[in-house]
């Protein structure tokens, strides 16, 4: 582990296609696409996707560290990524996330917007397939890992779908929602399965649950105070023509929102890590200290819950102030 294997790229089309596809199952995609749906498409769609994403990813990450199935051996496999190589392989959480996000988006929008179901189904299938194939191409998973991840995600979607409306209603109206949204994920993170060596799975899980917790508190707060929804210039999927005004508004919302989200992430990382360094007395470059349970969990959770809250509360208020609602 940690040793970069040399390789020669013979087909740059496949190389860049699957490197890009792999990124569709990582933080860069989550932190852009999920807020985009909230700012420009539909609040209810975004809420359902975030709920499904959080549940599916937690189960997938925990399953890895319970099953402890190794990743493909290298050699003979050439691995194009190194960060996630310390994790176990089964199931592929890239496959789980891609399946959950693409098909939950399809299910949540097909009855609200006028577009052919067949087209949406093909798009969801292509999206999830590209991400799954990227895990094979980059050498990070076996075929069984990928199939297992996609199937687990599909089963969870089927099981959770009948309760979507009930869960969504409870998250918006229950007076206990803010407390439970913070406490339950924190308990799950602090009681994450222990390994004999450090793996980024606990940190990644805390990141996901933290973002989901912050967003959920934001959803509840917006509903309690009847925050204005994005209704005037939303991206309507059924329209054959999208005017230049809508495109400008959508892009403006996106870039303003992403700037605030990234600024929040960077600011909170510095503040929280600084407070934890002061509390536990470790130097700024001590990577081992940052991997300790008492440091990693609050660091990741507070940072990304702030990101989720910022995306659902602060950014909409700024959009309203700038006349982008």
């Amino acid at each position: 582990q940690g040793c970069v294997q040399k390789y020669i790229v013979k087909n740059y089309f496949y190389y860049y296609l699957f490197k890009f596809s792999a990124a569709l199952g990582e933080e860069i995609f989550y932190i852009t696409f999920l807020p985009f749906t909230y700012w420009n498409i539909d609040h209810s769609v975004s809420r359902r996707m975030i709920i499904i994403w959080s549940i599916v990813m937690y189960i997938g990450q925990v399953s890895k560290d319970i099953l402890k199935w190794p990743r493909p051996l290298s050699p003979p496999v050439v691995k194009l990524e190194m960060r996630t190589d310390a994790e176990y392989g089964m199931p592929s959480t890239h496959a789980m996330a891609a399946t959950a996000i693409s098909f939950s988006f399809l299910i949540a929008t097909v009855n609200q917007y006028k577009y052919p179901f067949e087209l949406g189904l093909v798009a969801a299938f292509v999206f999830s397939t590209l991400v799954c194939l990227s895990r094979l191409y980059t050498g990070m998973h076996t075929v069984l890992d990928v199939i297992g991840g996609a199937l687990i995600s599909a089963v969870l979607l089927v099981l959770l779908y009948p309760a979507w409306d009930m869960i969504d209603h409870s998250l918006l109206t229950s007076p206990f929602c803010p407390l439970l949204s913070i406490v339950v994920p924190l308990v799950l993170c602090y009681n994450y399965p222990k390994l004999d060596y450090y793996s980024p799975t606990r940190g990644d899980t805390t990141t996901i649950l933290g973002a989901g917790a912050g967003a959920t508190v934001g959803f509840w707060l917006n509903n309690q105070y009847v925050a204005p929804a994005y209704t005037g210039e939303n991206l309507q999927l059924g329209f054959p023509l999208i005017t230049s005004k809508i495109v400008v508004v959508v892009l403006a919302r996106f870039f303003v929102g992403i700037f605030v989200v990234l600024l929040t992430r960077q600011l909170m990382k510095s503040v929280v890590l600084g407070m934890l360094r002061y509390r536990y007395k470790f130097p700024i470059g001590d990577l081992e200290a940052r991997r300790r349970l008492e440091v990693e969990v609050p660091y990741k959770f507070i940072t990304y819950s702030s990101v989720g809250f910022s995306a659902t509360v602060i950014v909409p208020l700024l959009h309203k102030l700038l006349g982008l609602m």
Side-chain angles (χ1 to χ4, degrees):
Q1 292 180 347
C3 179
V4 179
Q5 188 175 357
K6 293 183 178 180
Y7 57 86
I8 298 174
V9 179
K10 295 182 178 180
N11 190 315
Y12 281 96
F13 174 77
Y14 288 141
Y15 178 78
Y16 287 113
L17 172 65
F18 291 124
K19 290 285 281 186
F20 173 77
S21 300
L24 299 178
E26 297 173 357
E27 181 183 351
I28 184 65
F29 175 74
Y30 305 144
I31 209 170
T32 53
F33 179 71
L34 294 176
F36 180 89
T37 61
Y38 189 77
W39 301 329
N40 290 301
I41 298 180
D42 191 279
H43 284 189
S44 64
V45 173
S46 180
R47 290 197 304 268
R48 284 162 171 76
M49 290 174 63
I50 289 173
I51 292 168
I52 293 295
W53 171 66
S54 300
I55 294 173
V56 164
M57 289 299 288
Y58 174 76
I59 291 174
Q61 295 285 74
V62 169
S63 298
K64 282 186 178 185
D65 290 339
I66 291 176
L67 294 174
K68 298 182 179 180
W69 287 20
R71 288 186 182 268
L73 292 176
S74 177
V77 169
V78 176
K79 295 187 177 181
L80 305 187
E81 298 176 15
M82 295 311 301
R83 178 188 175 274
T84 57
D85 195 36
E87 299 178 6
Y88 289 107
M90 179 67 172
S92 166
T93 46
H94 273 71
M96 293 184 71
T99 303
I101 289 176
S102 58
F103 283 94
S104 62
F105 182 83
L106 170 65
I107 296 168
T109 59
V110 69
N111 292 324
Q112 296 189 42
Y113 299 96
K114 296 179 181 179
Y115 68 90
F117 173 75
E118 295 77 9
L119 178 63
L121 184 63
V122 169
F125 179 79
V126 169
F127 178 90
S128 55
T129 299
L130 280 175
V131 175
C132 290
L133 290 177
S134 75
R135 307 316 288 158
L136 303 178
Y137 183 87
T138 56
M140 302 312 296
H141 285 285
T142 65
V143 173
L144 187 58
D145 294 343
V146 169
I147 293 175
L151 286 178
I152 292 171
S153 192
V155 169
L156 289 172
L157 271 173
V158 171
L159 294 176
L160 290 170
Y161 176 71
W164 266 19
D165 292 337
M166 181 188 68
I167 295 172
D168 188 51
H169 179 74
S170 299
L171 291 179
L172 291 178
T173 60
S174 172
F176 303 106
C177 173
L179 179 63
L180 293 177
S181 296
I182 298 297
V183 172
V184 172
L186 268 177
V187 169
L188 293 175
C189 292
Y190 274 108
N191 290 277
Y192 193 83
K194 294 179 174 59
L195 295 176
D196 297 331
Y197 63 92
Y198 177 79
S199 167
T201 48
R202 184 182 65 200
D204 290 346
T205 304
T206 305
T207 294
I208 292 165
L209 294 185
T216 302
V217 172
F219 296 150
W220 181 87
L221 195 64
N222 287 340
N223 186 68
Q224 298 305 307
Y225 292 95
V226 196
Y230 296 88
T231 55
E233 302 287 349
N234 279 20
L235 176 63
Q236 299 295 319
L237 301 182
F239 284 3
L241 296 175
I242 299 178
T243 66
S244 58
K245 181 182 178 181
I246 293 178
V247 172
V248 170
V249 170
V250 166
L251 291 177
R253 288 175 183 169
F254 177 72
F255 286 115
V256 168
I258 287 300
F259 175 77
V260 173
V261 165
L262 295 179
L263 182 63
T264 301
R265 183 180 67 168
Q266 190 59 41
L267 178 64
M268 292 307 297
K269 277 185 174 183
S270 300
V271 171
V272 176
L273 190 58
M275 294 173 63
L276 291 169
R277 282 205 314 269
Y278 178 79
R279 169 67 177 83
Y280 294 105
K281 312 297 182 186
F282 61 88
I284 189 171
D286 191 346
L287 183 59
E288 289 302 317
R290 291 169 60 173
R291 291 174 170 179
R292 284 155 38 191
L293 175 69
E294 64 271 22
V295 174
E296 183 177 59
V297 169
Y299 169 50
K300 298 275 189 179
F301 192 87
I302 295 173
T303 297
Y304 284 91
S305 61
S306 301
V307 168
F309 184 83
S310 175
T312 54
V313 176
I314 306 300
V315 171
L317 290 175
L318 184 58
H319 284 169
K320 183 181 179 183
L321 183 65
L322 295 174
L324 297 174
M325 297 298 287

